[in-house]
Amino acid sequence: MSTIDLIRINTVIFDTDGVVTDTARVHAAAWKHMFDTFMRGRSESDDRWAPFDIREDYLSFVDGRPRLDGVRTFLASRGITLPEGEPSDPPGAPTVHGLGMAKDHFFLRQVERDGVSAFPSTVLLLHDLRHRGCRTGVVSASCHCRQMVLAAGVMHLFDVLVDGNDMARRKLPGKPDPALFLEAAARLGVPPGKTAIIEDALPGVEAGRRGGFGLVIAVDRTGQGGALAERGADIVVTDLAELAISGHVPAGAR
């Protein structure tokens, strides 16, 4: 069993979707609904307009990225170029902002209908970490991170939260740039080398490695463990119940 050594690691920063909350599948469905709606009616003989693949396309081009970056990256993979548009564009308008708004609206409707739940193994790990004196943070490129974490009932288990609103305000680049994680570590007052990152997406794992974090843990819920390791994960697990914790954070390091 893989172990987090709290003599060496003082802080753990969690990604939100797919690590803390069981919302990654809702995001994937929202991306497919939006892109398939956009593609519908285009030429069936042109592969650029083929339906969005909820596994290959989601994992390769949008998972873990800020919403507008996800739109741009997927469209670029198909050789499709759209104008950027404006944040005021209506959902579904043929612009980057319009498609991003359509995805956001569908995601929020699904969450409102079905609610948000936290992974039980993540909640248990958080309780154990905090009992042992470890500080914790939660990050997401989504502007709805706080809403999701509150709805899942786990906000009290985190010392800091950094999300898409912070990224926009501070003009932080999205993953695989490590800026989001570095901002959370700075707010916690702990250097990256004493901090562990827990991620489930390839860009997030790459961000953890680029940021010089002391431990990068990947949760493989989609069968891409090899790719996660190649991007820089030190530990790959299929569920956080597979992680053990040893020791306590020294009092002077809290």
Side-chain angles (χ1 to χ4, degrees), residues 24-25 28 62 85 133 138 156 159 236 240 247 251:
R25 58 188 174 78
V62 301
V138 63
H156 63 291
D159 297 294
V236 179
L240 291 182

Side-chain angles (χ1 to χ4, degrees), residues 11-236:
T11 303
V12 180
I13 300 173
F14 292 72
D15 177 54
T16 305
D17 298 302
V19 175
V20 175
T21 59
D22 189 10
T23 43
R25 58 188 174 78
V26 187
H27 279 290
W31 281 109
K32 180 169 177 58
H33 176 84
M34 178 275 287
F35 277 128
D36 284 357
T37 300
F38 170 67
M39 301 289 194
R40 197 169 296 129
R42 270 73 176 187
S43 173
E44 294 183 2
S45 62
D46 188 336
D47 288 344
R48 292 186 305 163
W49 307 107
F52 182 85
D53 188 299
I54 206 164
R55 178 176 173 80
E56 295 300 326
D57 290 329
Y58 176 71
L59 294 177
S60 298
F61 305 119
V62 301
D63 187 24
R65 302 179 189 273
R67 186 170 70 247
L68 296 182
D69 283 353
V71 174
R72 297 183 191 104
T73 304
F74 171 73
L75 292 178
S77 77
R78 297 290 184 91
I80 300 169
T81 302
L82 290 181
E84 283 291 302
E86 301 292 339
S88 58
D89 287 353
T95 65
V96 170
H97 279 278
L99 295 188
M101 288 297 294
K103 182 268 173 180
D104 197 42
H105 281 218
F106 184 79
F107 171 76
L108 291 176
R109 285 201 304 270
Q110 296 300 105
V111 166
E112 183 178 350
R113 187 191 72 184
D114 299 331
V116 179
S117 61
F119 289 102
S121 56
T122 302
V123 176
L124 288 173
L125 179 65
L126 280 161
H127 278 290
D128 197 4
L129 286 168
R130 294 177 69 82
H131 176 72
R132 295 169 182 262
C134 184
R135 302 191 74 204
T136 56
V138 63
V139 304
S140 174
S142 170
C143 292
H144 305 298
C145 175
R146 186 174 299 274
Q147 177 185 349
M148 298 300 107
V149 174
L150 282 168
V154 293
M155 181 65 81
H156 63 291
L157 297 175
F158 298 104
D159 297 294
V160 301
L161 179 149
V162 182
D163 64 5
N165 297 299
D166 298 295
M167 293 178 68
R169 183 169 55 252
R170 296 180 59 82
K171 295 182 170 55
L172 301 176
K175 305 170 190 174
D177 191 284
L180 191 65
F181 289 126
L182 291 172
E183 175 70 15
R187 293 187 188 184
L188 288 162
V190 179
K194 302 287 286 184
T195 302
I197 299 300
I198 304 183
E199 257 285 357
D200 71 320
L202 295 173
V205 167
E206 185 175 338
R209 180 53 57 224
R210 287 190 190 183
F213 288 90
L215 183 64
V216 179
I217 301 168
V219 185
D220 176 21
R221 303 194 193 277
T222 56
Q224 56 176 351
L228 290 164
E230 288 176 5
R231 290 290 184 96
D234 300 300
I235 295 170
V236 179

